[in-house]
């Protein structure tokens, strides 16, 4: 039975890097929210959207699945652009949440 292993927090920024790994070396199939992810058959997966991720593996026509999935929460990050206004003052493209 494959297990999912990972390092760090399962809450990540959308531009961050996070990796889920299956303990099965081959014959993996990843699922997001119970739906098969076409082409996601490697022993590792880089999630880019929030959801419940699980993995199944098939060996000798027997399919086993991870006990439970791992919920990954991907936080959207908006990166502001900075420019100068007509008075030569720096301004952010975001109205709030800026830290200068």
């Amino acid at each position: 039975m494959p297990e999912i292993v990972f390092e760090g927090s399962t809450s990540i920024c959308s531009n961050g890097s996070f990796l889920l790994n299956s303990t099965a070396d081959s014959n993996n199939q990843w699922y997001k929210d119970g739906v098969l992810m076409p082409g996601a058959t490697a022993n590792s997966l880089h999630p880019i959207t929030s959801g419940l991720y699980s993995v199944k593996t098939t060996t000798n026509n027997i399919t086993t699945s991870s006990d439970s999935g791992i919920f990954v929460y991907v936080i959207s990050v908006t990166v502001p652009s900075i420019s100068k206004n007509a008075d030569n003052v720096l301004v952010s493209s975001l109205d709030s949440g800026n830290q200068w």
Side-chain angles (χ1 to χ4, degrees):
M1 174 176 354
E3 292 182 33
I4 300 172
V5 293
F6 60 93
E7 289 185 25
S9 172
T10 57
S11 293
I12 57 172
C13 293
S14 59
N15 60 349
S17 178
F18 182 73
L19 204 57
L20 296 174
N21 293 294
S22 169
T23 56
D25 291 330
S26 60
N27 303 318
N28 291 286
Q29 178 58 65
W30 290 91
Y31 293 78
K32 179 181 172 261
D33 300 324
V35 178
L36 181 138
M37 298 175 67
T41 58
N43 72 326
S44 62
L45 179 75
H46 173 70
I48 57 173
T49 58
S50 296
L52 182 66
Y53 290 86
S54 59
V55 65
K56 293 182 180 181
T57 187
T58 302
T59 304
N60 297 325
N61 292 324
I62 299 172
T63 300
T64 57
S65 60
S66 53
D67 283 336
S68 60
I70 301 293
F71 188 83
V72 176
Y73 181 64
V74 179
I75 303 164
S76 271
V77 177
T78 303
V79 178
S81 61
I82 299 171
S83 60
K84 289 183 190 178
N85 66 13
D87 296 325
N88 214 23
V89 174
L90 292 176
V91 293
S92 170
S93 60
L94 298 179
D95 293 330
S96 62
N98 296 295
Q99 177 64 50
W100 295 89

